[in-house]
Amino acid sequence: MTSPTTGRVAHAPRLSPGAPAPSAAGRSPAGAPTEPGTARIAVDLLGGDDAPAVVVDGALRAVRTDPDLHLLLVGPTEVADGLIGALDPEQRSRVTVRPVRTAVGMADHPTAARGESTVRAAVHAVRDGIADALVSAGSTGATVTAAALGLGRWAGVRRPALVATLPAVEGPVVLLDVGGTLEPGPATLARHAVLGAAYAAVAHAVVAPRVGLLSVGVEAGKGDRLRRSADPALAAVPLPCGARYVGLVEGYDVSLGARADVVVTDGFTGNVLLKAIEGAYAMAGGPPASGGAPRAAALLGVAGTVVVCHGAARPDDVASGIALAAHLWRRGATDTVSTLLDDVPHDPAPDRNDTEVAP
Amino acid sequence: MTSPTTGRVAHAPRLSPGAPAPSAAGRSPAGAPTEPGTARIAVDLLGGDDAPAVVVDGALRAVRTDPDLHLLLVGPTEVADGLIGALDPEQRSRVTVRPVRTAVGMADHPTAARGESTVRAAVHAVRDGIADALVSAGSTGATVTAAALGLGRWAGVRRPALVATLPAVEGPVVLLDVGGTLEPGPATLARHAVLGAAYAAVAHAVVAPRVGLLSVGVEAGKGDRLRRSADPALAAVPLPCGARYVGLVEGYDVSLGARADVVVTDGFTGNVLLKAIEGAYAMAGGPPASGGAPRAAALLGVAGTVVVCHGAARPDDVASGIALAAHLWRRGATDTVSTLLDDVPHDPAPDRNDTEVAP
């Protein structure tokens, strides 16, 4: 699991207001220039509400867009063969198949991922060095479980986080958690603040990220018990990459980006918030030109590059999830973020009331 | 506190898809025909981040738009006089003043509302029958505290809820709570489901409202501990007005309205969600034609008609808050909803871990 650019934190200038972030736009990988470097991505063909059709379509788009992309298709042979048959010979040479017939359903308990399944086989491909990263649009809980069991967790992050990057008025906003850990305690939120700051710097080249804690008002003391105890915890934690804690922020800040580059919240709130923003764009007649709410998120806290797509992903969403996985691998993001976290002291005991999606 | 149409539930046909709801649009009262009937609204001149200027401007717009509207301005005499001076003689005859010089600040503890203040004086005006309803853009916690102390609570609702109505693709969506009770337990969420169903029928003429519980997925069992225990509680509670519980819904449903007319959640999540939708509209270049995220919400659970405007309210928001208060009074909404709730059996003991904004 060595990556091409391990250990180096990018320090590009902050994006100018309104400019789309390189990977925040996410949905339309064809619109952004592809980074160089081979990336071998395992794709769970059976994950998602409309799998395999949507996943196949998304994988086709990705492999046609990115000439350095190699795909490992994990799923039934006949599905993979259908996809391969639609490619030209050069593209075909960049696609291999791992035949697996069992999927974890969206209504299945996450522990179903312990058994043989496409998501587990994709995780094992990463673990065994056959793929550099994996993408699944299946059950988030099952992917988190399979990844944590198959790849191991980072020593410094007991509770994984799903990290989404939203295009915002004043540059990209990194929102975490959007569904990895539904009920974190204050210590986990503080750890996720460190993680989000490192991710913003490494994956999106945000200089000296401003980190905020989502609440119902900006004045100190606003919020529920979790927020009132997490606010001093985030204020006290050392942040990497020149990041600083700016205190409480509100719902608008996720789409505006004026007050924070990184917005920290629990996985329940982050998940409903992300989907509410997507719904608002639909209500407004479509997402803004710089991109809508992302339907692909990075899973941080496990020892490998894992991207989770929305269960209702469309082909473009799957393609942008594959592009995100390739981007993170090429930047060495997972390894670099993990290394940055090792340098920040933390309480090794997780909050006792933490509840993950996965048991 | 007798209202003009007490006890009658409106049963107008469901709004056709895409049609703006009579009061869901909220922001532009000038665009909707005014309902007949005198409404005397107490306005807290000193509540809000940009008070009194914004409140004065909003009150001017309201009194010019609605010929049956009477305002009781609660605040410093010189501020009220400036407002009155800008009106013509007929409009002036519909405005009276209650001189109060002290306000509760946005950063003050909600208990500050126990002392003499504009919001407390506005509450007392309603209690004493001098006004029919009150509007404040000041601290939500202070308004909830002042209203609960001054007006009393409904016997059947120990935890008040702030109720916002959002224009959605398929008709208005009633979202509660958006900040009245930050940490409800499952019994309070079930009670709020009853309250939201009654409010949708009475205030917005929604026939047989569909009630959903906000979570991270629609499959049973998705969500954190609160949602997993509230889901069966909502399924078990009898709902008024022909309403039915449709189970778990997701963030999109708040803006789409395809799955539910009433979305129930805790006050923390509802508050950040509402503001996130507002931010998304700003990011998308402006709210949809049928109206953006409302910046005025009804406080239900106290014995009087109370509307809370956003602290960062603009003049149009204040005017739409006044229009909402007049609309609710003219429909007899507060009394009718309260009566409907009395008919639904409930557990009189609130959840022990409930935490309100107000202590």
Side-chain angles (χ1 to χ4, degrees), chain A residues 40 62 89 95 214 229 305 328 337:
Chain A
R40 301 168 305 158
V95 177
L214 188 66
S229 56
T305 301
L328 294 176
V337 169

Side-chain angles (χ1 to χ4, degrees), chain B residues 131-242:
Chain B
D132 300 322
L134 77 94
V135 175
S136 177
S139 152
T140 300
T143 306
V144 173
T145 301
L149 290 173
L151 302 173
R153 297 166 192 260
W154 294 348
V157 181
R158 292 291 298 275
R159 303 296 174 188
L162 267 177
V163 186
T165 305
L166 292 90
V169 174
E170 303 198 17
V173 169
V174 168
L175 175 67
L176 78 166
D177 179 14
V178 299
T181 301
L182 296 186
E183 291 177 84
T188 294
L189 287 180
R191 201 66 187 146
H192 285 181
V194 177
L195 203 161
Y199 183 81
V202 173
H204 301 299
V206 176
V207 176
R210 299 159 302 163
V211 178
L213 175 66
L214 187 66
S215 193
V216 298
V218 298
E219 300 88 358
K222 293 270 181 187
D224 56 7
R225 278 172 288 201
L226 175 60
R227 268 30 82 155
R228 291 198 303 272
S229 56
D231 185 30
L234 266 71
V237 75
L239 294 171
C241 306

Side-chain angles (χ1 to χ4, degrees), chain A residues 27 273-282 293-295 310 314, chain B residues 252:
Chain A
R27 274 171 186 262
L273 198 74
L274 188 63
K275 291 171 179 170
I277 290 171
E278 183 175 336
Y281 287 147
R295 295 186 127 198
H310 196 295
R314 297 177 301 257
Chain B
Y252 335 95

